[in-house]
Amino acid sequence: TGVIEVTIDISLTNQSNSAIRNAVTTKVQNLLGYGLPGPYDYVLYSVQNCYVDCGWAAYAYINSWNSVYQGVYYKRPGVLIHELGHNFGLAHSGGLDGQTYTDHTCSMGNPHYSDDAFQCFNPAKNFQLNWYNDAKITEDPRTNGYDTTLTMVGIDEYNIRGGSPVTIRLETGGGADYFVGFNRASATGPNRLNDEGDNQVTIVQVNGNNGESYSQSFLKAKLSQGQSYAITNYGGTTQTVTITATSIDISTTPGTAVVRITNGSTPSPTNAPTNPPPTNAPTNPPTNVPTFPPTPAPTNAPVPTFPPSPAPTRAPVADVSKYVCTKRQPADPTATICAEGSLAGGRCTSENVGSSCGNGGKVCWWASCPGGDGPPSPPTTPPPPSPPTGGCPVCAATNDACCGTCVDGGNPRNRGCF
């Protein structure tokens, strides 16, 4: 493993992404003296900034060794996991809304953009990866009178599962099979920052290929204890298959979910969703082509509508003076700081950046605000020390020795010895 930095011989501002990638490949191969990937399993390219078509974070090649990142996304674990998933042969994971990226129980949906991303894959992807071959099973519920109950463990606790499965494939007789998993999110496990369906039984359907190779998947249901999901016209038949989360217990180690799967039987709970599955449309997997569209970049942070303004030289004339706790000093303190800022209480003894209060980078500001039943006066300054022997009196406002006039009150900018 290692990092190589290269400078390519084409412009980054008027070339396609594929042209830039090919130029990087050529440069690296010439430098190393062999073709990529060489001795490496996976090679990641990072373009320093966004130069052309900035609506993506990264893209990857299916069942291949290469992924490409722009800007800071090479150091976002959630983006890395998502793109490496494509290298592993995984397609995207859609959510209950039928959109391509919205299964947030799975890293092949929208990935995390934070520095930490402890989230795994959904049961269909886990079945495809062959990482859990000793803990995946296939059931065929098309048989009349089929009724079975299984105890599942999440992949979060795979290493201590005993003999329990972590993913179940339900055969439909076509390529669009269903998959059932327990989306365990323990306090310290690899799935602990999962975005959706914590500690629920999840049901996923693939578009094709029986979940054994590249295929878009869609989240169909998230079941809490006692809930059921009924699949009508199962596998193109007139049968209804019902999946019930009979019990979920996360007080034990490992946590378990007891799942009942029936055909023609009425399960104990009756609060089953009634939405039918989408039309089964198997799709053929692409070979060594980049995924389109690339992973979308997160929404940019809001930009303030006005810049911070310097503090006024004197406090505006008003009825009540107070410290307030706010993120910035508004352009017009009288008009906005009194409305936006919260009373700082005893947390402020001076103003500006050096004195913080509250969360989110808030600081202390002094303002004079309209009176009425307004907030109390600003916090009292601690009593001054005894004046030095032979010196001048001490101003209570500033603890400074004053041989002139001590101004004690009002705006703190006007306190002191004069």
Side-chain angles (χ1 to χ4, degrees), residues 71-369:
V72 299
Y73 294 110
Y74 72 93
K75 58 182 178 181
R76 297 290 188 256
V79 180
L80 288 166
I81 293 169
H82 181 96
E83 301 308 333
L84 285 171
H86 289 312
N87 288 158
F88 299 157
L90 303 181
H92 288 132
S93 297
L96 295 171
D97 59 1
Q99 299 300 306
T100 302
Y101 290 92
T102 51
D103 179 2
H104 292 172
T105 72
C106 179
S107 285
M108 297 313 294
N110 280 345
H112 289 266
Y113 288 95
S114 60
D115 287 337
D116 295 318
F118 291 93
Q119 181 171 7
C120 300
F121 300 107
N122 67 29
K125 266 58 175 183
N126 291 331
F127 194 97
Q128 178 186 338
L129 284 169
N130 293 324
W131 293 349
Y132 314 102
N133 282 349
D134 58 346
K136 67 181 187 181
I137 61 175
T138 298
E139 295 286 319
D140 190 345
R142 292 174 294 170
T143 306
N144 287 332
Y146 176 92
D147 189 338
T148 191
T149 299
L150 299 163
T151 299
M152 304 193 69
V153 171
I155 61 166
D156 204 53
E157 296 173 314
Y158 164 76
N159 290 333
I160 54 173
R161 72 192 181 285
S164 298
V166 298
T167 179
I168 302 170
R169 176 172 63 181
L170 300 182
E171 181 64 56
T172 61
D177 292 340
Y178 289 85
F179 295 81
V180 182
F182 178 36
N183 195 33
R184 180 74 174 103
S186 65
T188 59
N191 202 42
R192 62 182 178 269
L193 294 184
N194 169 68
D195 269 359
E196 181 183 13
D198 285 4
N199 302 311
Q200 291 183 300
V201 172
T202 56
I203 302 168
V204 173
Q205 186 182 24
V206 296
N207 276 355
N209 300 319
N210 301 99
E212 295 179 357
S213 59
Y214 186 93
S215 181
Q216 171 81 41
S217 67
F218 289 97
L219 181 66
K220 307 306 293 182
K222 301 175 295 182
L223 305 181
S224 298
Q225 179 171 297
Q227 292 184 320
S228 300
Y229 176 66
I231 308 170
T232 58
N233 301 321
Y234 186 85
T237 70
T238 59
Q239 299 169 324
T240 296
V241 170
T242 303
I243 304 165
T244 303
T246 303
S247 67
I248 295 174
D249 187 355
I250 60 173
S251 66
T252 60
T253 303
T256 58
V258 177
V259 178
R260 184 184 181 195
I261 306 166
T262 63
N263 175 1
S265 305
T266 302
S268 299
T270 57
N271 53 340
T274 57
N275 292 331
T279 303
N280 299 330
T283 57
N284 293 324
T287 302
N288 286 341
V289 294
T291 58
F292 294 102
T295 305
T299 305
N300 292 330
V303 179
T305 56
F306 50 81
S309 300
T313 55
R314 299 187 65 82
V317 177
D319 297 318
V320 176
S321 298
K322 66 176 183 177
Y323 280 112
V324 293
C325 189
T326 186
K327 273 201 171 185
R328 61 177 185 272
Q329 184 187 20
D332 184 348
T334 303
T336 57
I337 201 169
C338 298
E340 294 181 359
S342 59
L343 182 63
R347 290 174 291 178
C348 298
T349 57
S350 61
E351 66 174 348
N352 213 325
V353 179
S355 180
S356 61
C357 59
N359 298 320
K362 293 182 179 180
V363 295
C364 302
W365 295 99
W366 178 268
S368 296
C369 303

Side-chain angles (χ1 to χ4, degrees), residues 369-389:
C369 303
D373 296 327
S377 300
T380 305
T381 306
S386 301
T389 304

